[in-house]
PDB file of all heavy atoms in Angstrom:
ATOM      1  N   LEU A 155      21.025  47.433  -3.775  1.00  0.00           N
ATOM      2  CA  LEU A 155      20.325  48.712  -3.827  1.00  0.00           C
ATOM      3  C   LEU A 155      21.024  49.822  -3.040  1.00  0.00           C
ATOM      4  O   LEU A 155      20.452  50.902  -2.863  1.00  0.00           O
ATOM      5  CB  LEU A 155      18.894  48.547  -3.289  1.00  0.00           C
ATOM      6  CG  LEU A 155      17.995  47.593  -4.071  1.00  0.00           C
ATOM      7  CD1 LEU A 155      16.670  47.392  -3.352  1.00  0.00           C
ATOM      8  CD2 LEU A 155      17.760  48.118  -5.484  1.00  0.00           C
ATOM      9  N   TYR A 156      22.254  49.574  -2.606  1.00  0.00           N
ATOM     10  CA  TYR A 156      22.947  50.576  -1.800  1.00  0.00           C
ATOM     11  C   TYR A 156      24.338  50.926  -2.333  1.00  0.00           C
ATOM     12  O   TYR A 156      24.764  52.075  -2.251  1.00  0.00           O
ATOM     13  CB  TYR A 156      23.050  50.117  -0.336  1.00  0.00           C
ATOM     14  CG  TYR A 156      21.703  50.055   0.329  1.00  0.00           C
ATOM     15  CD1 TYR A 156      20.963  48.870   0.334  1.00  0.00           C
ATOM     16  CD2 TYR A 156      21.147  51.182   0.925  1.00  0.00           C
ATOM     17  CE1 TYR A 156      19.715  48.810   0.929  1.00  0.00           C
ATOM     18  CE2 TYR A 156      19.893  51.132   1.521  1.00  0.00           C
ATOM     19  CZ  TYR A 156      19.186  49.946   1.524  1.00  0.00           C
ATOM     20  OH  TYR A 156      17.943  49.902   2.098  1.00  0.00           O
ATOM     21  N   VAL A 165      26.583  54.485  -3.718  1.00  0.00           N
ATOM     22  CA  VAL A 165      26.100  55.364  -4.785  1.00  0.00           C
ATOM     23  C   VAL A 165      25.466  56.602  -4.151  1.00  0.00           C
ATOM     24  O   VAL A 165      24.472  56.512  -3.438  1.00  0.00           O
ATOM     25  CB  VAL A 165      25.084  54.644  -5.700  1.00  0.00           C
ATOM     26  CG1 VAL A 165      25.792  53.679  -6.626  1.00  0.00           C
ATOM     27  CG2 VAL A 165      24.042  53.885  -4.889  1.00  0.00           C
ATOM     28  N   SER A 167      25.694  59.902  -6.035  1.00  0.00           N
ATOM     29  CA  SER A 167      25.511  60.951  -7.040  1.00  0.00           C
ATOM     30  C   SER A 167      24.048  61.103  -7.417  1.00  0.00           C
ATOM     31  O   SER A 167      23.207  60.250  -7.104  1.00  0.00           O
ATOM     32  CB  SER A 167      26.338  60.628  -8.288  1.00  0.00           C
ATOM     33  OG  SER A 167      25.857  59.436  -8.887  1.00  0.00           O
ATOM     34  N   GLN A 168      23.720  62.190  -8.081  1.00  0.00           N
ATOM     35  CA  GLN A 168      22.353  62.429  -8.532  1.00  0.00           C
ATOM     36  C   GLN A 168      21.955  61.471  -9.647  1.00  0.00           C
ATOM     37  O   GLN A 168      20.797  61.081  -9.755  1.00  0.00           O
ATOM     38  CB  GLN A 168      22.205  63.886  -9.017  1.00  0.00           C
ATOM     39  CG  GLN A 168      22.285  64.921  -7.908  1.00  0.00           C
ATOM     40  CD  GLN A 168      21.180  64.751  -6.887  1.00  0.00           C
ATOM     41  OE1 GLN A 168      20.015  64.598  -7.249  1.00  0.00           O
ATOM     42  NE2 GLN A 168      21.539  64.773  -5.611  1.00  0.00           N
ATOM     43  N   LYS A 169      22.935  61.094 -10.467  1.00  0.00           N
ATOM     44  CA  LYS A 169      22.652  60.165 -11.565  1.00  0.00           C
ATOM     45  C   LYS A 169      23.048  58.751 -11.147  1.00  0.00           C
ATOM     46  O   LYS A 169      24.229  58.444 -10.973  1.00  0.00           O
ATOM     47  CB  LYS A 169      23.412  60.579 -12.827  1.00  0.00           C
ATOM     48  CG  LYS A 169      22.835  61.812 -13.505  1.00  0.00           C
ATOM     49  CD  LYS A 169      23.484  62.049 -14.850  1.00  0.00           C
ATOM     50  CE  LYS A 169      22.833  63.213 -15.576  1.00  0.00           C
ATOM     51  NZ  LYS A 169      23.431  63.449 -16.928  1.00  0.00           N
ATOM     52  N   ILE A 170      22.036  57.917 -10.968  1.00  0.00           N
ATOM     53  CA  ILE A 170      22.260  56.526 -10.579  1.00  0.00           C
ATOM     54  C   ILE A 170      21.595  55.621 -11.610  1.00  0.00           C
ATOM     55  O   ILE A 170      20.489  55.897 -12.075  1.00  0.00           O
ATOM     56  CB  ILE A 170      21.698  56.244  -9.172  1.00  0.00           C
ATOM     57  CG1 ILE A 170      22.375  57.157  -8.139  1.00  0.00           C
ATOM     58  CG2 ILE A 170      21.902  54.787  -8.791  1.00  0.00           C
ATOM     59  CD1 ILE A 170      21.815  57.022  -6.747  1.00  0.00           C
ATOM     60  N   TYR A 171      22.261  54.544 -11.939  1.00  0.00           N
ATOM     61  CA  TYR A 171      21.776  53.647 -12.984  1.00  0.00           C
ATOM     62  C   TYR A 171      21.481  52.265 -12.393  1.00  0.00           C
ATOM     63  O   TYR A 171      21.940  51.922 -11.301  1.00  0.00           O
ATOM     64  CB  TYR A 171      22.810  53.531 -14.107  1.00  0.00           C
ATOM     65  CG  TYR A 171      23.073  54.853 -14.791  1.00  0.00           C
ATOM     66  CD1 TYR A 171      23.933  55.792 -14.210  1.00  0.00           C
ATOM     67  CD2 TYR A 171      22.447  55.193 -15.981  1.00  0.00           C
ATOM     68  CE1 TYR A 171      24.159  57.022 -14.814  1.00  0.00           C
ATOM     69  CE2 TYR A 171      22.665  56.425 -16.591  1.00  0.00           C
ATOM     70  CZ  TYR A 171      23.524  57.325 -15.998  1.00  0.00           C
ATOM     71  OH  TYR A 171      23.734  58.550 -16.583  1.00  0.00           O
ATOM     72  N   PHE A 172      20.703  51.496 -13.130  1.00  0.00           N
ATOM     73  CA  PHE A 172      20.403  50.121 -12.729  1.00  0.00           C
ATOM     74  C   PHE A 172      20.844  49.200 -13.850  1.00  0.00           C
ATOM     75  O   PHE A 172      20.478  49.382 -15.013  1.00  0.00           O
ATOM     76  CB  PHE A 172      18.909  49.931 -12.465  1.00  0.00           C
ATOM     77  CG  PHE A 172      18.578  48.640 -11.760  1.00  0.00           C
ATOM     78  CD1 PHE A 172      18.441  48.604 -10.381  1.00  0.00           C
ATOM     79  CD2 PHE A 172      18.403  47.454 -12.467  1.00  0.00           C
ATOM     80  CE1 PHE A 172      18.141  47.412  -9.714  1.00  0.00           C
ATOM     81  CE2 PHE A 172      18.105  46.267 -11.815  1.00  0.00           C
ATOM     82  CZ  PHE A 172      17.978  46.250 -10.435  1.00  0.00           C
ATOM     83  N   LEU A 179      22.231  48.526  -8.555  1.00  0.00           N
ATOM     84  CA  LEU A 179      22.549  49.907  -8.885  1.00  0.00           C
ATOM     85  C   LEU A 179      23.978  50.031  -9.404  1.00  0.00           C
ATOM     86  O   LEU A 179      24.865  49.251  -9.050  1.00  0.00           O
ATOM     87  CB  LEU A 179      22.384  50.796  -7.650  1.00  0.00           C
ATOM     88  CG  LEU A 179      20.982  50.852  -7.031  1.00  0.00           C
ATOM     89  CD1 LEU A 179      20.976  51.818  -5.847  1.00  0.00           C
ATOM     90  CD2 LEU A 179      19.923  51.255  -8.048  1.00  0.00           C
ATOM     91  N   MET A 180      24.162  51.058 -10.228  1.00  0.00           N
ATOM     92  CA  MET A 180      25.480  51.321 -10.809  1.00  0.00           C
ATOM     93  C   MET A 180      25.764  52.813 -10.734  1.00  0.00           C
ATOM     94  O   MET A 180      24.886  53.633 -11.027  1.00  0.00           O
ATOM     95  CB  MET A 180      25.507  50.837 -12.264  1.00  0.00           C
ATOM     96  CG  MET A 180      26.830  51.090 -12.983  1.00  0.00           C
ATOM     97  SD  MET A 180      26.770  50.516 -14.700  1.00  0.00           S
ATOM     98  CE  MET A 180      26.958  48.762 -14.445  1.00  0.00           C
ATOM     99  N   VAL A 194      17.814  55.595 -13.307  1.00  0.00           N
ATOM    100  CA  VAL A 194      16.649  55.428 -12.434  1.00  0.00           C
ATOM    101  C   VAL A 194      16.546  56.639 -11.508  1.00  0.00           C
ATOM    102  O   VAL A 194      17.552  57.266 -11.170  1.00  0.00           O
ATOM    103  CB  VAL A 194      16.738  54.129 -11.593  1.00  0.00           C
ATOM    104  CG1 VAL A 194      16.584  52.907 -12.472  1.00  0.00           C
ATOM    105  CG2 VAL A 194      18.031  54.055 -10.801  1.00  0.00           C
ATOM    106  N   SER A 195      15.328  56.947 -11.107  1.00  0.00           N
ATOM    107  CA  SER A 195      15.105  58.104 -10.249  1.00  0.00           C
ATOM    108  C   SER A 195      15.375  57.775  -8.789  1.00  0.00           C
ATOM    109  O   SER A 195      15.348  56.613  -8.379  1.00  0.00           O
ATOM    110  CB  SER A 195      13.661  58.602 -10.405  1.00  0.00           C
ATOM    111  OG  SER A 195      12.751  57.677  -9.831  1.00  0.00           O
ATOM    112  N   GLN A 196      15.599  58.824  -8.001  1.00  0.00           N
ATOM    113  CA  GLN A 196      15.789  58.655  -6.564  1.00  0.00           C
ATOM    114  C   GLN A 196      14.517  58.086  -5.927  1.00  0.00           C
ATOM    115  O   GLN A 196      14.595  57.305  -4.971  1.00  0.00           O
ATOM    116  CB  GLN A 196      16.147  60.004  -5.926  1.00  0.00           C
ATOM    117  CG  GLN A 196      17.476  60.586  -6.371  1.00  0.00           C
ATOM    118  CD  GLN A 196      18.658  59.842  -5.792  1.00  0.00           C
ATOM    119  OE1 GLN A 196      18.524  59.089  -4.832  1.00  0.00           O
ATOM    120  NE2 GLN A 196      19.839  60.041  -6.368  1.00  0.00           N
ATOM    121  N   ASN A 197      13.372  58.484  -6.455  1.00  0.00           N
ATOM    122  CA  ASN A 197      12.096  57.989  -5.912  1.00  0.00           C
ATOM    123  C   ASN A 197      11.951  56.482  -6.121  1.00  0.00           C
ATOM    124  O   ASN A 197      11.476  55.766  -5.228  1.00  0.00           O
ATOM    125  CB  ASN A 197      10.916  58.713  -6.557  1.00  0.00           C
ATOM    126  CG  ASN A 197      10.755  60.115  -6.042  1.00  0.00           C
ATOM    127  OD1 ASN A 197      11.251  60.463  -4.963  1.00  0.00           O
ATOM    128  ND2 ASN A 197      10.061  60.956  -6.786  1.00  0.00           N
ATOM    129  N   LEU A 198      12.362  56.004  -7.294  1.00  0.00           N
ATOM    130  CA  LEU A 198      12.273  54.555  -7.549  1.00  0.00           C
ATOM    131  C   LEU A 198      13.212  53.793  -6.617  1.00  0.00           C
ATOM    132  O   LEU A 198      12.835  52.735  -6.087  1.00  0.00           O
ATOM    133  CB  LEU A 198      12.618  54.250  -9.003  1.00  0.00           C
ATOM    134  CG  LEU A 198      12.606  52.753  -9.358  1.00  0.00           C
ATOM    135  CD1 LEU A 198      11.216  52.167  -9.180  1.00  0.00           C
ATOM    136  CD2 LEU A 198      13.107  52.516 -10.775  1.00  0.00           C
ATOM    137  N   ILE A 199      14.408  54.313  -6.418  1.00  0.00           N
ATOM    138  CA  ILE A 199      15.358  53.671  -5.506  1.00  0.00           C
ATOM    139  C   ILE A 199      14.756  53.582  -4.107  1.00  0.00           C
ATOM    140  O   ILE A 199      14.867  52.558  -3.425  1.00  0.00           O
ATOM    141  CB  ILE A 199      16.698  54.434  -5.479  1.00  0.00           C
ATOM    142  CG1 ILE A 199      17.369  54.367  -6.851  1.00  0.00           C
ATOM    143  CG2 ILE A 199      17.622  53.858  -4.413  1.00  0.00           C
ATOM    144  CD1 ILE A 199      18.583  55.260  -6.993  1.00  0.00           C
ATOM    145  N   LYS A 200      14.111  54.656  -3.684  1.00  0.00           N
ATOM    146  CA  LYS A 200      13.461  54.674  -2.364  1.00  0.00           C
ATOM    147  C   LYS A 200      12.383  53.599  -2.281  1.00  0.00           C
ATOM    148  O   LYS A 200      12.292  52.870  -1.279  1.00  0.00           O
ATOM    149  CB  LYS A 200      12.847  56.048  -2.108  1.00  0.00           C
ATOM    150  CG  LYS A 200      12.147  56.183  -0.770  1.00  0.00           C
ATOM    151  CD  LYS A 200      11.554  57.580  -0.604  1.00  0.00           C
ATOM    152  CE  LYS A 200      10.822  57.704   0.735  1.00  0.00           C
ATOM    153  NZ  LYS A 200      10.232  59.060   0.897  1.00  0.00           N
ATOM    154  N   ILE A 201      11.578  53.475  -3.332  1.00  0.00           N
ATOM    155  CA  ILE A 201      10.509  52.470  -3.356  1.00  0.00           C
ATOM    156  C   ILE A 201      11.091  51.058  -3.272  1.00  0.00           C
ATOM    157  O   ILE A 201      10.631  50.223  -2.494  1.00  0.00           O
ATOM    158  CB  ILE A 201       9.658  52.628  -4.628  1.00  0.00           C
ATOM    159  CG1 ILE A 201       8.859  53.938  -4.576  1.00  0.00           C
ATOM    160  CG2 ILE A 201       8.705  51.444  -4.802  1.00  0.00           C
ATOM    161  CD1 ILE A 201       8.213  54.312  -5.896  1.00  0.00           C
ATOM    162  N   LEU A 202      12.129  50.793  -4.059  1.00  0.00           N
ATOM    163  CA  LEU A 202      12.743  49.463  -4.070  1.00  0.00           C
ATOM    164  C   LEU A 202      13.381  49.134  -2.721  1.00  0.00           C
ATOM    165  O   LEU A 202      13.333  47.987  -2.269  1.00  0.00           O
ATOM    166  CB  LEU A 202      13.787  49.373  -5.187  1.00  0.00           C
ATOM    167  CG  LEU A 202      13.250  49.351  -6.621  1.00  0.00           C
ATOM    168  CD1 LEU A 202      14.393  49.361  -7.626  1.00  0.00           C
ATOM    169  CD2 LEU A 202      12.355  48.140  -6.852  1.00  0.00           C
ATOM    170  N   ARG A 203      13.951  50.132  -2.082  1.00  0.00           N
ATOM    171  CA  ARG A 203      14.573  49.897  -0.766  1.00  0.00           C
ATOM    172  C   ARG A 203      13.510  49.594   0.291  1.00  0.00           C
ATOM    173  O   ARG A 203      13.741  48.749   1.163  1.00  0.00           O
ATOM    174  CB  ARG A 203      15.413  51.112  -0.363  1.00  0.00           C
ATOM    175  CG  ARG A 203      16.735  51.217  -1.126  1.00  0.00           C
ATOM    176  CD  ARG A 203      17.473  52.492  -0.806  1.00  0.00           C
ATOM    177  NE  ARG A 203      18.771  52.531  -1.470  1.00  0.00           N
ATOM    178  CZ  ARG A 203      19.564  53.597  -1.485  1.00  0.00           C
ATOM    179  NH1 ARG A 203      19.198  54.727  -0.864  1.00  0.00           N
ATOM    180  NH2 ARG A 203      20.734  53.557  -2.107  1.00  0.00           N
ATOM    181  N   ILE A 204      12.382  50.261   0.209  1.00  0.00           N
ATOM    182  CA  ILE A 204      11.294  49.979   1.154  1.00  0.00           C
ATOM    183  C   ILE A 204      10.746  48.576   0.919  1.00  0.00           C
ATOM    184  O   ILE A 204      10.480  47.826   1.862  1.00  0.00           O
ATOM    185  CB  ILE A 204      10.179  51.033   1.033  1.00  0.00           C
ATOM    186  CG1 ILE A 204      10.677  52.383   1.569  1.00  0.00           C
ATOM    187  CG2 ILE A 204       8.921  50.600   1.788  1.00  0.00           C
ATOM    188  CD1 ILE A 204       9.723  53.530   1.345  1.00  0.00           C
ATOM    189  N   ILE A 205      10.594  48.204  -0.352  1.00  0.00           N
ATOM    190  CA  ILE A 205      10.160  46.838  -0.684  1.00  0.00           C
ATOM    191  C   ILE A 205      11.169  45.831  -0.140  1.00  0.00           C
ATOM    192  O   ILE A 205      10.799  44.818   0.461  1.00  0.00           O
ATOM    193  CB  ILE A 205      10.000  46.667  -2.208  1.00  0.00           C
ATOM    194  CG1 ILE A 205       8.785  47.467  -2.705  1.00  0.00           C
ATOM    195  CG2 ILE A 205       9.846  45.187  -2.573  1.00  0.00           C
ATOM    196  CD1 ILE A 205       8.624  47.470  -4.210  1.00  0.00           C
ATOM    197  N   ASN A 206      12.446  46.125  -0.328  1.00  0.00           N
ATOM    198  CA  ASN A 206      13.510  45.231   0.129  1.00  0.00           C
ATOM    199  C   ASN A 206      13.539  45.088   1.654  1.00  0.00           C
ATOM    200  O   ASN A 206      13.940  44.050   2.179  1.00  0.00           O
ATOM    201  CB  ASN A 206      14.862  45.745  -0.370  1.00  0.00           C
ATOM    202  CG  ASN A 206      15.988  44.748  -0.160  1.00  0.00           C
ATOM    203  OD1 ASN A 206      15.942  43.638  -0.668  1.00  0.00           O
ATOM    204  ND2 ASN A 206      17.002  45.150   0.602  1.00  0.00           N
ATOM    205  N   GLU A 222       6.418  57.127 -11.176  1.00  0.00           N
ATOM    206  CA  GLU A 222       7.112  56.114 -10.369  1.00  0.00           C
ATOM    207  C   GLU A 222       6.536  54.721 -10.611  1.00  0.00           C
ATOM    208  O   GLU A 222       7.270  53.727 -10.668  1.00  0.00           O
ATOM    209  CB  GLU A 222       7.030  56.462  -8.879  1.00  0.00           C
ATOM    210  CG  GLU A 222       7.892  57.628  -8.441  1.00  0.00           C
ATOM    211  CD  GLU A 222       7.303  58.974  -8.810  1.00  0.00           C
ATOM    212  OE1 GLU A 222       6.085  59.031  -9.102  1.00  0.00           O
ATOM    213  OE2 GLU A 222       8.046  59.967  -8.807  1.00  0.00           O
ATOM    214  N   GLU A 225       7.970  53.498 -13.808  1.00  0.00           N
ATOM    215  CA  GLU A 225       9.355  53.057 -13.598  1.00  0.00           C
ATOM    216  C   GLU A 225       9.404  51.697 -12.925  1.00  0.00           C
ATOM    217  O   GLU A 225      10.204  50.828 -13.298  1.00  0.00           O
ATOM    218  CB  GLU A 225      10.099  54.074 -12.732  1.00  0.00           C
ATOM    219  CG  GLU A 225      10.679  55.253 -13.470  1.00  0.00           C
ATOM    220  CD  GLU A 225      11.624  56.045 -12.580  1.00  0.00           C
ATOM    221  OE1 GLU A 225      11.138  56.743 -11.671  1.00  0.00           O
ATOM    222  OE2 GLU A 225      12.852  55.944 -12.784  1.00  0.00           O
ATOM    223  N   ILE A 229      11.184  48.394 -14.619  1.00  0.00           N
ATOM    224  CA  ILE A 229      12.336  47.704 -14.044  1.00  0.00           C
ATOM    225  C   ILE A 229      11.963  46.287 -13.596  1.00  0.00           C
ATOM    226  O   ILE A 229      12.766  45.364 -13.697  1.00  0.00           O
ATOM    227  CB  ILE A 229      12.926  48.530 -12.869  1.00  0.00           C
ATOM    228  CG1 ILE A 229      14.329  48.014 -12.519  1.00  0.00           C
ATOM    229  CG2 ILE A 229      12.035  48.480 -11.633  1.00  0.00           C
ATOM    230  CD1 ILE A 229      15.050  48.878 -11.504  1.00  0.00           C
TER     231      ILE A 229
END
Side-chain angles (χ1 to χ4, degrees):
L155 298 173
Y156 293 92
V165 285
S167 64
Q168 291 298 313
K169 287 189 175 182
I170 300 176
Y171 298 80
F172 193 95
L179 299 182
M180 179 181 283
V194 291
S195 70
Q196 295 287 343
N197 285 340
L198 178 63
I199 296 171
K200 180 180 179 180
I201 292 168
L202 289 176
R203 285 174 176 172
I204 290 173
I205 290 174
N206 190 60
E222 287 77 18
E225 276 191 287
I229 195 172

